[in-house]
């Protein structure tokens, strides 16, 4: 019998459309790049928060603060959170710091959901 609970060790487990291990690796690379003067701290914070939530490590989503304990979000929920990040980015009253955070959330979730081919990372030198 197959368990319906979240099993982070499963080879087949997906986060959005990406393999769980690919999302973990993208998160680690972003953290490493940030330590080496990569993307803005707010952008990195948003992307890292999005990855943690998508992987099931955070109880609440990074923009709307919704979620269920111990459950990784499904593709529909991930996409809705990416949409919420877009709304915040397009708010003309939003200041640059929060806008950068929302951009990080959006870029990470867009990649996780398959709307982008590239995970957020440090700019190429």
């Amino acid at each position: 019998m197959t368990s319906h609970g979240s099993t982070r060790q499963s080879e087949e487990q997906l986060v959005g459309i990406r393999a769980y291990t690919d999302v973990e690796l993208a998160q680690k690379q972003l953290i490493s790049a940030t330590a080496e003067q990569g993307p803005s701290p707010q952008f990195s914070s948003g992307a890292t928060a999005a990855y943690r939530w998508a992987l099931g490590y955070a109880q609440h989503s990074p923009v709307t603060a919704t979620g269920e304990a111990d459950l990784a979000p499904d593709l529909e929920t991930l996409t809705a959170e990416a949409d919420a990040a877009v709304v915040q980015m397009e708010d003309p009253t939003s200041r640059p710091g929060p806008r950068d955070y929302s951009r990080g959330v959006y870029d990470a979730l867009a990649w996780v959901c398959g709307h982008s081919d590239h995970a957020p990372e440090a700019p190429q030198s």
Side-chain angles (χ1 to χ4, degrees):
M1 183 181 278
T2 304
S3 170
H4 293 287
S6 176
T7 56
R8 292 187 178 133
Q9 305 304 320
S10 172
E11 289 181 32
E12 298 297 319
Q13 183 176 2
L14 296 178
V15 178
I17 68 158
R18 309 288 176 192
Y20 187 91
T21 55
D22 290 345
V23 178
E24 279 188 318
L25 180 60
Q27 179 185 15
K28 288 176 186 174
Q29 289 174 335
L30 180 66
I31 291 169
S32 177
T34 301
E36 297 173 5
Q37 308 255 341
S40 79
Q42 296 88 355
F43 176 91
S44 295
S45 179
T48 300
Y51 285 143
R52 287 185 47 75
W53 175 66
L55 290 164
Y57 294 136
Q59 183 174 356
H60 299 288
S61 61
V63 174
T64 61
T66 59
E68 299 179 39
D70 301 326
L71 293 177
D74 60 15
L75 183 58
E76 182 179 343
T77 305
L78 291 165
T79 302
E81 191 71 5
D83 290 345
V86 169
V87 169
Q88 285 196 352
M89 287 185 313
E90 292 178 349
D91 181 352
T93 64
S94 179
R95 296 186 337 225
R99 191 175 305 126
D100 287 349
Y101 177 89
S102 295
R103 168 58 75 183
V105 170
Y106 173 77
D107 284 1
L109 293 180
W111 176 72
V112 166
C113 294
H115 302 151
S116 170
D117 293 333
H118 304 286
E121 57 185 40
Q124 301 290 322
S125 306

